Amino acid sequence: MPSEKVLQDKKEIVAALKEKLNGAAAGVVVDYKGISVANDTKLRKELREAGVEYKVVKNTLLRFAAQDTGLADICSVLDGTTALAISNDDAIAPAKILGKYAEDSKGKFSIKAGFMDGKPMSTDEVMALSKLPGKEQLLCMLLSALNGNIRGLAVALNAIAEKEPA
């Protein structure tokens, strides 16, 4: 039988996981069983640079935490090797990085499930999210569109000014 100390440690881990799940903008649950140490190191570095926390978790502990946060739907995929990636700021970053990595690994590394704004997401939804342009790309597209309209207005006003006699 587990000692009181072990049970207390597990309760603290579940409480910390629950707090992270509640405070996260988004997260992705992955199966990392086919990843090499070199690739894992590279992946962790990329996630860290994007502000995403990535951690191997025990399925039972994550299951307890998820049930208390309204993410009980992800419990059905919690078997085998499991890691959790959480972002508090960028809702797309975990899906984008891990989705690309899962595609590149050809089945050795896979997405199990995800969540965004407290709502569970399927593997297909996480993969669809991973294909969206990032925040910086969207801002560039918006600024480009706005800049094009302003430039067009300036050219039109200039043409009108040149036609009219002074």
Side-chain angles (χ1 to χ4, degrees), residues 11 15 27 41 45 54 58 75-76 90 100 116 136 139 141 160 162:
K11 286 180 183 178
T41 303
K45 181 179 186 279
Y54 179 79
K58 289 188 174 276
C75 292
S76 64
D90 189 347
K100 181 182 182 305
M116 182 186 289
E136 288 181 18
L139 284 173
M141 291 166 62
I160 291 170
E162 287 177 0

Side-chain angles (χ1 to χ4, degrees), residues 2 4 8 22 24 30 33 40 47 49-50 56 64 66-67 71 73 84 86 89 107 113 118 120 125-126 159 164:
E4 282 294 317
Q8 186 60 36
N22 280 331
V30 298
K33 72 177 167 282
D40 184 53
L47 288 165
E49 288 172 355
V56 172
F64 282 128
Q67 287 174 344
L71 296 171
D73 290 356
L84 175 66
I86 293 178
D89 305 320
E125 290 171 319
V126 173
E164 291 184 14

Side-chain angles (χ1 to χ4, degrees), residues 57-116:
V57 293
K58 289 188 174 276
N59 291 319
T60 306
L61 300 179
L62 183 55
R63 189 174 292 119
F64 282 128
Q67 287 174 344
D68 288 343
T69 59
L71 296 171
D73 290 356
I74 68 169
C75 292
S76 64
V77 299
L78 297 179
D79 59 345
T81 55
T82 302
L84 175 66
I86 293 178
S87 175
N88 293 328
D89 305 320
D90 189 347
I92 297 176
K96 194 161 206 52
I97 295 167
L98 294 170
K100 181 182 182 305
Y101 194 85
E103 279 185 346
D104 294 346
S105 75
K106 297 176 178 46
K108 293 180 181 177
F109 179 91
S110 60
I111 305 287
K112 290 184 176 185
F115 64 92
M116 182 186 289

Side-chain angles (χ1 to χ4, degrees), residues 24-38:
V28 177
V29 179
V30 298
D31 182 346
Y32 64 89
K33 72 177 167 282
I35 191 171
S36 70
V37 173

Side-chain angles (χ1 to χ4, degrees), residues 117-146:
D117 296 327
K119 307 278 188 289
M121 294 171 29
S122 69
T123 301
D124 292 337
E125 290 171 319
V126 173
M127 291 306 290
L129 185 62
S130 76
K131 291 172 179 36
L132 289 176
K135 186 177 177 180
E136 288 181 18
Q137 289 171 303
L138 288 172
L139 284 173
C140 286
M141 291 166 62
L142 174 64
L143 291 174
S144 177
L146 291 174

